[in-house]
Amino acid sequence: MTELLIVNYDAGNIRSVERAVSVCGATPVLSSDPEAILNARLLILPGVGAFGKCISSLRGKKLDLPVLEYIKSGKPILGICVGMQMLMEGSCEFGYHKGLGLIPGEVRKIPDKGGDGYPHRVPHVTWEGLEPKKQAWEGTVLDGIVPGADCYFIHSYAAYPEREQDVLATCSYNGVELCAAVRKENLYGLQFHPEKSGPIGLKVISNFISLGDRSC
Amino acid sequence: MLKTRVIPCLDVKDGRVVKGVNFVDLVDAGDPVEQARIYDAEGADELCFLDITASSDNRDTIFDVVARTAEACFMPVTVGGGVRTLEDIRKLLLAGADKVSINTAAVKNPDFVREAARKFGSQCIVVSIDAKSTGPDKFEIFTHGGREPTGIDAVSFAKQMVEYGAGELLVTSMDRDGTQSGFNIPLTRTIADAVHVPVIASGGVGTLDHMVEGVRDAHASAVLAASIFHFGTYRIREVKEHMKAAGIPVRED
């Protein structure tokens, strides 16, 4: 069975990610060993909580460089929630924090007004439909997902990629377009939680696992 | 308009669901894991666990139950009941909870909410507010299952909790809970209109129309119910179909 490495850097609840991966037919391996990260075939970078805390924990455990090395090799990586946000250049959550800088753009607070100009609720906690942007979903982690399919979002900050071509999917929160997924070559990031998004989320994870077969 | 979440709530005591269940396809009616699995398959948007374990000796059973439930379903799980320390929260999150709901500890020591939000992030801190109408436009917080008045105004408390970092409020109308006569609309609406975080309406659901009222009239972002689901009066799907027919967007499979 394909092994999938989940980067373990004390980023909160990763048990459900582990469980979802095994249901999707891969063997999840939790690891904070730089060597294991470099040698992995598939990598998930999870993240729950505040950006600054996550990135400093990743750096504190000296796992940022192995992750960057892994990405350079062209093998697939999937960032989830703050794990996705960390792929960006930086975040404004509780002061400015530098990210891994792999996708141009920053992480900023979700606008506190909807498209109609009226205040709306933040955190953005709900199931929201995914919509395509410039990139086709075929052959990506969203292969076979029907536009409008609902996934579970829970976040106060969102990624704002500079280049539209890096955006794989968006969702509309009260008329405000938010980045739901990014993709740049072997690099994938999801703002929603696939491990909490029912059968659709599991399909996304299965798609990611099958990318591992292709990259070898 | 945002999709409204439909949230079944399990009342768990010493690791077992305490209210009766009439689901025909359950292997073990008292096992919360079995019920969670069914709710998950039926399209529930989140699951809420309320640990009402009377004795603190049995507290640890909840961690095991949460772990087994989180493994059985692929939707977010909120756990409440007896959350008093940062260590409680840490253990629940590690067991697989996505959010924790803080009730008595928030009333006794509001700073606890601030510390919890700072440590774990606002997105996983839900403050549970049990309140009653005590006069026209007057809502007071009660503790100990609605028996003890605190003298605290529910609306000011709600605002304070959001300021301290609560990412969501679970508002339970103690005067309606268990009556099946519908949510306390003025209470829920006053709080929902006073804060900018999502509000979950709870307490009093008896009919499908009550669910609609919770959103349309009380301005809640999510509706929670226990009995109507436990006793099989309504299935999750029926609630969603009814809400959709009333013009309220819901997640569909």
Side-chain angles (χ1 to χ4, degrees):
Chain A
M1 229 170 23
T2 314
E3 273 196 3
L4 185 154
L5 190 138
I6 301 170
V7 182
N8 186 8
Y9 64 101
D10 295 339
N13 171 25
I14 38 180
R15 207 182 179 125
S16 22
V17 175
E18 243 184 307
R19 172 71 184 154
V21 165
S22 61
V23 163
C24 291
T27 310
V29 180
L30 269 182
S31 177
S32 47
D33 173 21
E35 196 70 20
I37 289 172
L38 285 172
N39 294 328
R41 276 173 65 180
L42 282 164
L43 204 71
I44 284 186
L45 185 61
V48 172
F51 187 100
K53 206 171 147 268
C54 283
I55 195 82
S56 60
S57 177
L58 188 74
R59 290 197 177 111
K61 291 191 180 299
K62 301 201 184 324
L63 298 179
D64 53 331
L65 295 178
V67 167
L68 289 169
E69 269 311 297
Y70 170 93
I71 291 168
K72 263 191 216 156
S73 72
K75 292 179 285 186
I77 177 168
L78 180 69
I80 298 177
C81 197
V82 180
M84 170 251 210
Q85 297 181 353
M86 291 195 299
L87 304 176
M88 309 297 294
E89 287 176 305
S91 168
C92 308
E93 186 175 7
F94 299 125
Y96 189 81
H97 304 275
K98 250 180 105 169
L100 296 174
L102 296 158
I103 293 181
E106 280 172 358
V107 178
R108 296 197 294 267
K109 187 140 184 118
I110 296 172
D112 56 9
K113 289 192 177 87
D116 54 8
Y118 286 98
H120 64 179
R121 300 179 194 279
V122 178
H124 174 223
V125 186
T126 191
W127 294 74
E128 206 81 84
L130 302 182
E131 297 297 339
K133 194 80 182 171
K134 285 262 166 77
Q135 281 199 50
W137 288 357
E138 206 188 336
T140 74
V141 291
L142 299 183
D143 197 4
I145 302 291
V146 180
D150 286 327
C151 290
Y152 186 76
F153 288 80
I154 177 161
H155 60 133
S156 305
Y157 286 75
Y160 289 86
E162 270 168 27
R163 306 182 310 184
E164 233 175 40
Q165 70 255 36
D166 292 337
V167 180
L168 182 60
T170 62
C171 68
S172 171
Y173 177 35
N174 274 332
V176 174
E177 186 185 271
L178 297 176
C179 177
V182 292
R183 188 246 172 142
K184 195 179 146 198
E185 292 149 16
N186 57 322
L187 202 64
Y188 288 93
L190 308 173
Q191 179 61 66
F192 59 92
H193 286 271
E195 75 281 14
K196 293 287 168 184
S197 296
I200 290 166
L202 295 179
K203 166 83 177 142
V204 174
I205 292 174
S206 294
N207 281 341
F208 178 67
I209 292 168
S210 63
L211 293 178
D213 303 332
R214 260 179 272 164
S215 72
C216 299
Chain B
M1 199 175 160
L2 216 56
K3 290 186 186 86
T4 297
R5 286 167 285 148
V6 176
I7 308 176
C9 179
L10 301 175
D11 292 329
V12 179
K13 189 179 178 189
D14 299 332
R16 307 283 291 175
V17 177
V18 285
K19 283 182 181 168
V21 185
N22 294 334
F23 286 148
V24 283
D25 28 7
L26 280 185
V27 179
D28 174 358
D31 184 3
V33 180
E34 286 284 330
Q35 289 194 52
R37 199 172 273 143
I38 299 230
Y39 288 139
D40 192 38
E42 288 189 337
D45 298 311
E46 274 184 43
L47 184 74
C48 184
F49 243 91
L50 196 58
D51 178 27
I52 54 168
T53 299
S55 125
S56 53
D57 301 346
N58 291 326
R59 202 91 244 168
D60 281 345
T61 55
I62 195 70
F63 300 115
D64 170 58
V65 175
V66 169
R68 288 191 295 120
T69 305
E71 286 199 358
C73 56
F74 297 99
M75 61 178 155
V77 178
T78 303
V79 184
V83 178
R84 290 188 174 84
T85 63
L86 294 175
E87 182 59 14
D88 290 338
I89 299 176
R90 197 186 67 88
K91 279 161 93 175
L92 287 171
L93 295 179
L94 283 178
D98 297 282
K99 309 185 223 180
V100 295
S101 156
I102 306 173
N103 183 310
T104 310
V107 176
K108 282 190 177 159
N109 175 21
D111 275 326
F112 174 51
V113 171
R114 201 190 321 241
E115 285 167 34
R118 204 169 285 166
K119 187 158 168 66
F120 302 102
S122 291
Q123 85 291 332
C124 72
I125 304 299
V126 180
V127 169
S128 168
I129 298 176
D130 293 346
K132 282 186 198 181
S133 292
T134 49
D137 296 324
K138 276 194 59 138
F139 310 103
E140 185 178 336
I141 307 246
F142 280 69
T143 55
H144 299 83
R147 293 187 305 275
E148 290 200 6
T150 60
I152 300 169
D153 175 64
V155 183
S156 333
F157 182 72
K159 286 190 196 164
Q160 184 193 13
M161 288 298 97
V162 171
E163 194 189 311
Y164 281 18
E168 218 169 354
L169 301 178
L170 168 60
V171 177
T172 303
S173 39
M174 296 310 295
D175 38 8
R176 296 302 184 95
D177 201 31
T179 64
Q180 308 222 335
S181 58
F183 295 119
N184 182 333
I185 304 283
L187 163 73
T188 313
R189 189 184 50 226
T190 308
I191 292 180
D193 289 353
V195 298
H196 57 264
V197 301
V199 166
I200 305 165
S202 153
V205 172
T207 70
L208 297 175
D209 281 335
H210 291 156
M211 295 293 223
V212 173
E213 288 163 13
V215 183
R216 190 191 58 203
D217 305 333
H219 304 168
S221 301
V223 284
L224 179 144
S227 307
I228 60 157
F229 295 130
H230 288 319
F231 297 118
T233 320
Y234 298 108
R235 309 297 285 240
I236 303 281
R237 209 170 296 277
E238 286 175 89
V239 172
K240 289 194 166 185
E241 277 164 14
H242 190 80
M243 293 179 88
K244 196 183 160 203
I248 296 170
V250 287
R251 170 175 74 114
E252 294 167 74
D253 298 336

Coordinates of all heavy atoms in Angstrom, one line a residue, chain A residues 12-13 15-16 19-20 23 48-49 53 120-129 150 152 154 173-174 195-198 202, chain B residues 2-3 5 45-46 67 71 74-76 93-99 119-120 123 167 192 195-198 219 221 251-252:
Chain A
G12 N -2.0 20.5 16.2 CA -3.4 20.2 16.6 C -3.8 18.8 16.1 O -3.0 17.9 16.0
N13 N -5.1 18.7 15.8 CA -5.7 17.5 15.6 C -5.4 16.9 14.2 O -5.8 17.4 13.2 CB -7.2 17.7 15.7 CG -8.0 16.5 15.2 OD1 -7.5 15.3 15.2 ND2 -9.2 16.7 14.8
R15 N -5.4 13.4 13.9 CA -6.0 12.1 13.9 C -7.0 11.9 12.8 O -7.0 10.8 12.2 CB -6.7 11.9 15.3 CG -6.7 10.5 15.7 CD -7.5 10.5 17.0 NE -7.6 9.1 17.5 CZ -7.1 8.7 18.7 NH1 -6.6 9.5 19.5 NH2 -7.3 7.4 19.0
S16 N -7.8 12.9 12.5 CA -8.8 12.7 11.5 C -8.2 12.7 10.1 O -8.7 12.0 9.2 CB -9.9 13.7 11.6 OG -9.5 14.9 12.3
R19 N -6.9 9.2 9.8 CA -8.0 8.2 9.6 C -8.5 8.3 8.1 O -8.8 7.3 7.5 CB -9.1 8.6 10.6 CG -10.4 7.9 10.4 CD -10.3 6.4 10.8 NE -11.6 5.7 10.5 CZ -11.7 4.4 10.2 NH1 -10.6 3.7 10.2 NH2 -12.8 3.9 10.0
A20 N -8.7 9.5 7.6 CA -9.2 9.7 6.3 C -8.2 9.1 5.2 O -8.7 8.4 4.3 CB -9.4 11.2 6.0
V23 N -8.7 5.4 5.2 CA -9.9 5.0 4.6 C -9.8 5.0 3.1 O -10.4 4.3 2.3 CB -11.1 5.9 5.1 CG1 -12.3 5.8 4.2 CG2 -11.5 5.5 6.5
V48 N -3.7 23.6 12.2 CA -4.9 24.1 12.8 C -4.4 25.1 13.8 O -3.4 25.0 14.4 CB -5.6 22.9 13.6 CG1 -6.8 23.5 14.4 CG2 -6.1 21.9 12.6
G49 N -5.2 26.2 13.9 CA -4.9 27.3 14.8 C -4.3 28.5 14.2 O -4.6 28.8 13.0
K53 N 1.9 30.5 15.1 CA 2.2 29.4 16.0 C 2.6 28.2 15.2 O 3.5 27.5 15.5 CB 1.0 29.1 16.9 CG 1.3 28.4 18.2 CD 0.1 28.3 19.0 CE 0.1 27.1 19.9 NZ -0.5 25.9 19.3
H120 N -20.9 40.7 7.9 CA -21.3 39.3 8.0 C -20.4 38.6 9.1 O -19.5 39.3 9.6 CB -21.3 38.6 6.7 CG -20.0 38.5 6.0 ND1 -19.9 37.9 4.8 CD2 -18.8 38.9 6.3 CE1 -18.6 37.9 4.4 NE2 -18.0 38.6 5.3
R121 N -20.6 37.4 9.3 CA -20.0 36.7 10.4 C -18.6 36.1 10.1 O -18.5 35.5 9.1 CB -20.9 35.6 11.0 CG -22.3 36.2 11.5 CD -23.2 35.1 12.0 NE -24.5 35.7 12.1 CZ -25.0 36.4 13.1 NH1 -24.2 36.7 14.1 NH2 -26.2 36.9 13.1
V122 N -17.7 36.3 10.9 CA -16.3 35.7 10.8 C -16.0 35.2 12.2 O -16.2 35.9 13.2 CB -15.3 36.8 10.4 CG1 -13.9 36.2 10.3 CG2 -15.7 37.4 9.1
P123 N -15.5 34.0 12.4 CA -15.1 33.0 11.4 C -16.1 32.6 10.4 O -17.3 32.6 10.7 CB -14.6 31.8 12.2 CG -14.8 32.1 13.6 CD -15.4 33.5 13.7
H124 N -15.6 32.2 9.2 CA -16.4 31.6 8.2 C -16.5 30.1 8.5 O -15.6 29.4 8.3 CB -15.7 31.9 6.8 CG -16.3 31.2 5.7 ND1 -15.6 30.5 4.7 CD2 -17.6 31.1 5.2 CE1 -16.3 30.1 3.8 NE2 -17.6 30.4 4.1
V125 N -17.7 29.7 9.0 CA -17.9 28.3 9.5 C -19.1 27.8 8.7 O -20.2 28.1 9.1 CB -18.2 28.2 11.0 CG1 -18.2 26.7 11.4 CG2 -17.1 28.9 11.8
T126 N -18.9 27.0 7.7 CA -20.0 26.4 7.0 C -19.5 25.4 5.9 O -18.3 25.3 5.6 CB -20.9 27.5 6.4 OG1 -22.1 26.9 5.9 CG2 -20.3 28.2 5.2
W127 N -20.5 24.8 5.3 CA -20.2 24.0 4.1 C -20.4 24.9 2.9 O -21.4 25.6 2.8 CB -21.1 22.8 4.0 CG -20.9 21.8 5.1 CD1 -21.3 21.9 6.4 CD2 -20.3 20.5 5.0 NE1 -20.9 20.8 7.1 CE2 -20.3 19.9 6.2 CE3 -19.8 19.8 3.9 CZ2 -19.8 18.7 6.5 CZ3 -19.3 18.6 4.2 CH2 -19.3 18.0 5.4
E128 N -19.4 25.0 2.0 CA -19.5 25.9 0.9 C -19.1 25.2 -0.4 O -18.2 24.4 -0.4 CB -18.5 27.0 1.2 CG -18.7 28.4 0.6 CD -19.8 29.2 1.4 OE1 -19.4 29.9 2.4 OE2 -20.9 29.2 1.1
G129 N -19.8 25.6 -1.4 CA -19.5 25.0 -2.8 C -18.2 25.4 -3.4 O -17.9 26.6 -3.3
D150 N -20.1 20.7 -2.0 CA -19.9 21.4 -0.7 C -18.8 20.7 0.1 O -18.7 19.5 0.3 CB -21.2 21.3 0.2 CG -22.2 22.3 -0.3 OD1 -21.8 23.4 -0.8 OD2 -23.4 22.0 -0.3
Y152 N -16.3 21.5 3.9 CA -16.4 22.2 5.2 C -15.2 23.2 5.4 O -14.1 22.8 5.5 CB -16.4 21.2 6.3 CG -16.6 21.8 7.7 CD1 -17.9 22.2 8.1 CD2 -15.6 22.0 8.6 CE1 -18.2 22.7 9.3 CE2 -15.8 22.5 9.8 CZ -17.1 22.9 10.2 OH -17.4 23.5 11.4
I154 N -13.7 26.3 8.0 CA -13.7 26.9 9.3 C -12.4 27.8 9.4 O -11.4 27.2 9.7 CB -13.9 25.9 10.4 CG1 -13.9 26.6 11.8 CG2 -12.9 24.8 10.4 CD1 -14.5 25.8 12.9
Y173 N -18.4 33.5 -0.2 CA -19.0 33.7 1.1 C -19.8 35.0 1.1 O -19.2 36.1 1.1 CB -17.9 33.7 2.2 CG -18.4 34.0 3.6 CD1 -19.6 33.5 4.0 CD2 -17.6 34.7 4.5 CE1 -20.0 33.7 5.3 CE2 -18.1 35.0 5.8 CZ -19.3 34.5 6.2 OH -19.7 34.7 7.4
N174 N -21.1 34.9 1.0 CA -22.0 36.0 1.0 C -21.5 37.0 -0.1 O -21.5 38.2 0.1 CB -21.9 36.8 2.3 CG -22.9 36.2 3.3 OD1 -24.0 35.7 2.9 ND2 -22.6 36.4 4.6
E195 N -10.8 16.1 5.3 CA -11.0 15.0 6.2 C -12.3 15.2 7.0 O -12.7 14.3 7.7 CB -9.8 14.9 7.2 CG -9.7 15.9 8.3 CD -9.2 17.3 7.9 OE1 -9.1 17.6 6.6 OE2 -8.8 18.1 8.7
K196 N -13.0 16.4 6.9 CA -14.2 16.6 7.6 C -15.3 16.9 6.6 O -16.4 17.5 6.9 CB -14.1 17.9 8.5 CG -13.1 17.6 9.6 CD -13.8 16.7 10.7 CE -12.8 16.3 11.7 NZ -13.4 15.3 12.6
S197 N -15.1 16.6 5.3 CA -16.0 17.0 4.3 C -16.7 15.8 3.6 O -17.1 15.8 2.4 CB -15.3 17.8 3.2 OG -14.9 19.1 3.7
G198 N -17.0 14.8 4.4 CA -17.8 13.7 4.0 C -17.2 13.0 2.7 O -16.0 13.0 2.5
L202 N -13.3 12.8 1.0 CA -12.5 11.6 0.8 C -12.1 11.4 -0.6 O -11.0 10.9 -0.9 CB -13.4 10.4 1.3 CG -13.7 10.4 2.8 CD1 -14.5 9.2 3.2 CD2 -12.4 10.4 3.7
Chain B
L2 N -26.0 32.0 3.4 CA -25.1 30.9 3.8 C -25.9 29.6 4.1 O -27.0 29.7 4.5 CB -24.5 31.4 5.1 CG -23.1 31.0 5.4 CD1 -22.2 31.5 4.2 CD2 -22.6 31.6 6.7
K3 N -25.2 28.5 3.8 CA -25.9 27.3 4.1 C -26.0 27.1 5.6 O -25.0 27.2 6.3 CB -25.1 26.1 3.5 CG -25.2 26.1 2.0 CD -24.5 24.9 1.3 CE -24.5 25.1 -0.2 NZ -23.4 25.8 -0.7
R5 N -26.3 25.0 8.9 CA -25.9 23.7 9.4 C -26.9 23.1 10.3 O -27.5 23.8 11.1 CB -24.6 23.8 10.2 CG -23.3 24.1 9.3 CD -22.2 24.5 10.2 NE -22.3 25.9 10.7 CZ -21.9 26.4 11.8 NH1 -21.2 25.6 12.6 NH2 -22.0 27.6 12.1
D45 N -24.4 18.0 9.3 CA -23.4 18.9 9.0 C -22.3 19.0 10.0 O -21.2 19.4 9.7 CB -23.9 20.3 8.7 CG -24.9 20.3 7.5 OD1 -24.5 19.7 6.5 OD2 -26.0 20.7 7.6
E46 N -22.6 18.6 11.2 CA -21.7 18.6 12.4 C -22.3 17.7 13.4 O -23.5 17.5 13.3 CB -21.6 20.0 13.0 CG -20.5 20.9 12.4 CD -20.4 22.2 13.1 OE1 -20.3 22.2 14.3 OE2 -20.3 23.2 12.4
A67 N -12.7 9.8 20.7 CA -11.7 9.3 19.7 C -12.4 8.3 18.8 O -12.2 8.3 17.6 CB -10.6 8.6 20.5
E71 N -13.3 8.8 14.7 CA -12.8 7.8 13.7 C -14.0 7.3 12.8 O -13.8 6.8 11.7 CB -12.2 6.7 14.4 CG -10.8 7.0 14.9 CD -10.0 5.8 15.2 OE1 -10.5 4.7 15.1 OE2 -8.8 6.0 15.6
F74 N -16.9 11.5 9.2 CA -16.1 12.5 8.5 C -16.8 13.9 8.4 O -17.0 14.5 7.4 CB -15.8 12.0 7.1 CG -15.0 10.7 7.2 CD1 -15.5 9.5 7.1 CD2 -13.6 10.8 7.5 CE1 -14.8 8.3 7.2 CE2 -12.8 9.7 7.6 CZ -13.4 8.4 7.4
M75 N -17.3 14.3 9.6 CA -17.8 15.6 9.7 C -17.2 16.2 11.0 O -16.7 15.5 11.9 CB -19.4 15.6 9.8 CG -19.9 14.8 11.0 SD -21.6 14.8 11.2 CE -21.9 13.3 12.1
P76 N -17.3 17.5 11.2 CA -16.8 18.2 12.4 C -17.5 17.7 13.7 O -18.7 17.5 13.6 CB -17.0 19.7 12.1 CG -17.2 19.8 10.7 CD -17.9 18.5 10.3
L93 N -9.1 17.8 21.9 CA -8.7 18.1 20.5 C -7.8 16.9 20.0 O -7.9 16.4 18.9 CB -7.9 19.4 20.4 CG -8.8 20.7 20.6 CD1 -7.9 21.9 20.5 CD2 -10.0 20.8 19.7
L94 N -6.9 16.4 20.9 CA -6.0 15.3 20.5 C -6.9 14.0 20.3 O -6.5 13.2 19.5 CB -5.0 15.1 21.5 CG -3.8 16.1 21.5 CD1 -2.8 15.7 22.6 CD2 -3.1 16.0 20.1
A95 N -8.0 13.9 21.0 CA -8.8 12.8 20.8 C -9.6 12.8 19.5 O -10.2 11.8 19.1 CB -9.8 12.6 22.0
G96 N -9.6 14.0 18.9 CA -10.3 14.1 17.6 C -11.4 15.1 17.5 O -12.1 15.2 16.5
A97 N -11.7 15.8 18.6 CA -12.7 16.9 18.6 C -12.2 18.0 17.7 O -11.0 18.3 17.7 CB -13.0 17.4 20.0
D98 N -13.1 18.7 17.0 CA -12.7 19.8 16.2 C -12.9 21.1 16.9 O -12.2 22.1 16.7 CB -13.5 19.9 14.9 CG -13.2 18.6 14.0 OD1 -12.1 18.6 13.4 OD2 -14.0 17.7 14.1
K99 N -13.9 21.1 17.8 CA -14.2 22.3 18.6 C -14.6 21.8 20.0 O -15.1 20.7 20.2 CB -15.4 23.0 18.0 CG -15.3 23.4 16.6 CD -16.5 24.2 16.2 CE -17.1 23.8 14.9 NZ -18.2 24.6 14.4
K119 N -4.6 30.1 22.8 CA -3.8 28.9 22.7 C -4.2 28.0 21.6 O -3.4 27.5 20.9 CB -3.9 28.1 24.1 CG -2.9 27.0 24.1 CD -2.6 26.6 25.5 CE -1.9 25.2 25.6 NZ -0.6 25.1 25.1
F120 N -5.5 27.9 21.4 CA -6.0 26.9 20.4 C -6.6 27.5 19.1 O -6.9 26.8 18.2 CB -7.0 25.9 21.0 CG -6.4 25.2 22.2 CD1 -6.7 25.5 23.5 CD2 -5.5 24.1 22.0 CE1 -6.2 24.9 24.6 CE2 -4.9 23.5 23.1 CZ -5.3 23.8 24.4
Q123 N -11.3 29.5 16.2 CA -12.1 28.6 15.4 C -12.6 27.3 16.2 O -13.6 26.7 15.9 CB -11.5 28.2 14.1 CG -10.5 27.1 14.1 CD -9.2 27.3 14.9 OE1 -8.8 28.5 15.0 NE2 -8.6 26.3 15.5
G167 N -15.2 31.8 18.9 CA -15.4 31.8 17.5 C -16.8 31.4 17.1 O -17.2 31.6 16.0
A192 N -27.8 36.9 18.3 CA -27.3 36.8 17.0 C -27.1 38.1 16.3 O -26.1 38.3 15.6 CB -28.2 35.9 16.1
V195 N -23.7 40.1 17.9 CA -22.4 39.6 17.7 C -22.1 39.3 16.2 O -23.0 39.2 15.4 CB -22.1 38.3 18.5 CG1 -22.2 38.6 20.0 CG2 -23.0 37.2 18.0
H196 N -20.8 39.2 15.8 CA -20.5 39.0 14.4 C -19.9 37.6 14.2 O -19.1 37.4 13.3 CB -19.5 40.1 14.0 CG -18.3 40.2 14.9 ND1 -18.2 41.0 15.9 CD2 -17.2 39.4 14.9 CE1 -17.0 40.8 16.5 NE2 -16.4 39.9 15.9
V197 N -20.1 36.7 15.2 CA -19.7 35.3 15.0 C -20.9 34.4 14.8 O -22.0 34.9 15.1 CB -18.8 34.8 16.2 CG1 -17.6 35.6 16.4 CG2 -19.7 34.7 17.4
P198 N -20.7 33.2 14.2 CA -21.9 32.4 14.0 C -22.6 32.0 15.4 O -21.9 31.8 16.4 CB -21.4 31.1 13.4 CG -20.0 31.5 12.8 CD -19.5 32.6 13.7
H219 N -32.3 34.3 13.3 CA -31.0 34.7 12.7 C -29.8 33.8 13.0 O -28.7 34.3 13.0 CB -30.7 36.2 13.0 CG -31.8 37.1 12.6 ND1 -31.8 38.5 12.9 CD2 -32.9 36.9 11.8 CE1 -32.9 39.1 12.4 NE2 -33.6 38.1 11.8
S221 N -27.0 30.8 12.6 CA -26.3 30.2 11.5 C -26.4 28.7 11.4 O -26.1 28.1 10.4 CB -24.8 30.6 11.6 OG -24.7 32.0 11.6
R251 N -26.8 22.2 2.9 CA -25.9 21.3 2.1 C -26.7 20.1 1.7 O -27.4 19.5 2.4 CB -24.7 20.8 3.0 CG -23.9 19.7 2.3 CD -22.7 19.4 3.1 NE -23.0 18.6 4.3 CZ -22.6 17.3 4.5 NH1 -21.9 16.7 3.6 NH2 -22.9 16.7 5.6
E252 N -26.5 19.7 0.4 CA -27.1 18.5 -0.1 C -26.1 17.5 -0.6 O -25.0 18.0 -0.9 CB -28.1 18.8 -1.3 CG -29.3 19.7 -0.8 CD -30.0 20.3 -2.0 OE1 -30.7 19.5 -2.7 OE2 -29.8 21.5 -2.2

